[in-house]
Amino acid sequence: MEDMAQVYQEHAQTVYKFLMAQTHDPDLAEELTQETFYQAVRSIGRFDGSCKLSVWLCQIAKHQWYKYLRRHQREVPTDDTEFPDVPLPSAEEAAESNQNRVELLRCIHELPDPMREVVYLRSFGDLSFREIAEVLGRTENWARVTFYRGKERLKGAYKL
């Protein structure tokens, strides 16, 4: 088994991007990345090499995310005082933007798995096709084709 510092250097960015795709919160993604590597150190004896190390780490990260969700009620802060100089959109613009975002997310959510996961990781996690392939234990070409097919389905469903 590789030295854990080297493992961290090689895979921390992949785990962080995976968690960013899930959480959409840089601080939480960083916190969960640290927890992921802590858990990996604790359970390294259970890594049997049946999958890539990056896949195993992302599986741990996914479990950390689910554990976080179970422990915390996801609340959207309503305090706008943090950015007082930023002009806010009109109520109509905000409602339309929110409606469009909800519709797009609904369409993405209706994609079959693993297509949905590839679209999330590429679109919201900003992962490369190579990184997506590593996370999901597939080939880079598979990730490209799956993303393309998902994008084509979304174009039809969402009228992109």
Side-chain angles (χ1 to χ4, degrees), residues 29-44:
E30 181 63 34
E31 179 182 329
L32 292 174
T33 298
Q34 297 304 319
E35 185 62 25
T36 296
F37 280 92
Y38 171 73
Q39 292 300 326
V41 168
R42 290 186 62 213
S43 60
I44 195 68

Side-chain angles (χ1 to χ4, degrees), residues 46-110:
R46 289 185 271 170
F47 178 67
D48 61 6
S50 63
C51 63
K52 290 184 178 182
L53 187 57
S54 59
V55 172
W56 182 69
L57 290 168
C58 286
Q59 289 171 343
I60 294 172
K62 180 175 68 172
H63 291 294
Q64 292 305 311
W65 170 235
Y66 290 161
K67 183 177 171 182
Y68 176 86
L69 289 175
R70 282 192 303 271
R71 288 187 177 166
H72 299 85
Q73 293 296 333
R74 296 293 291 174
E75 295 178 10
V76 178
T78 57
D79 183 12
D80 292 333
T81 59
E82 187 175 338
F83 304 104
D85 297 337
V86 176
L88 297 174
S90 70
E92 289 175 358
E93 291 170 335
E96 183 178 338
S97 174
N98 189 45
Q99 185 178 17
N100 289 340
R101 188 176 64 233
V102 168
E103 178 65 18
L104 176 60
L105 289 172
R106 184 190 62 73
C107 290
I108 292 172
H109 184 72
E110 290 176 357

Side-chain angles (χ1 to χ4, degrees), residues 7 15 20 26 29 31 39 49 55 74-75 84 118 121 124 126 128 143-144 153:
V7 170
V15 172
M20 270 299 295
E31 179 182 329
Q39 292 300 326
V55 172
R74 296 293 291 174
E75 295 178 10
V118 170
L121 292 173
F124 301 113
D126 199 31
S128 70
R144 286 180 191 280
R153 281 195 187 186

